[in-house]
């Protein structure tokens, strides 16, 4: 009897909650990634991966979803700090992404909103995070998107 109760308690996990991503809006006003659709697609892909890693089922139907998420990308920038002495040069670069997420229940009632800020730092002795062509380091962008997405999900779904 005891073995049956233990087995039942281990196998009776709640099914994963179904989540629908309503929209991701790029509301960044200044910089190279202002209104950039590639940033939206990249953020959505990483958000989907993070939801699945945290045991949520992502659905394409709002009718099947237990929750709906709406995300606004608000701020993206690279903060540079340079220092030098004679021939020595050091650059500290911090990529910052600020996003706001909204969590709705299946009836469309807003349950929670959260402002997430992700930061990724890079220290370089000879190269800058901004290349000569004005591009942004993809590794830092990926890291900051993953961090801000993860923080957003964890805070939206905790009570």
């Amino acid at each position: 009897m005891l073995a049956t109760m233990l087995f039942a308690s281990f196998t009776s996990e709640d099914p994963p909650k179904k989540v629908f991503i309503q929209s991701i809006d790029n509301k960044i006003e200044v910089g190279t990634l202002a209104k950039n659709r590639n940033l939206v697609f990249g953020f959505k892909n990483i958000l989907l991966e993070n939801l699945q890693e945290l045991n949520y089922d992502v659905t394409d139907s709002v009718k099947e979803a237990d929750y709906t998420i709406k995300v606004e990308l608000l701020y993206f920038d690279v903060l540079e700090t340079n220092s030098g002495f004679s021939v020595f040069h050091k650059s500290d670069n911090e990529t910052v992404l600020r996003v706001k997420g909204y969590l709705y229940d299946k009836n469309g009632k807003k349950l929670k909103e959260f402002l997430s800020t992700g930061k990724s730092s890079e220290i370089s002795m000879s190269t800058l995070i901004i290349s000569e062509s004005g591009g942004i380091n993809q590794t830092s962008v990926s890291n900051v998107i993953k961090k801000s997405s993860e923080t957003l999900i964890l805070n939206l779904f905790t009570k």
Side-chain angles (χ1 to χ4, degrees), residues 1 11 25 34 45 50 89 100 105 109 119 151:
M1 178 93 109
T11 58
D25 299 324
N45 287 337
N50 283 338
H89 177 77
K100 189 169 195 176
D105 67 7
K109 179 184 173 193
K119 296 179 182 180
T151 303

Side-chain angles (χ1 to χ4, degrees), residues 38-39 42-44 46-47 50 76 97 118 120 140-150:
N38 291 334
L39 180 62
F43 190 90
K44 185 173 185 175
I46 292 174
L47 182 65
N50 283 338
F76 183 92
L97 176 63
S120 177
S140 293
V141 172
S142 296
N143 288 342
V144 76
I145 290 173
K146 182 149 178 77
K147 288 177 183 178
S148 58
S149 168
E150 212 170 88

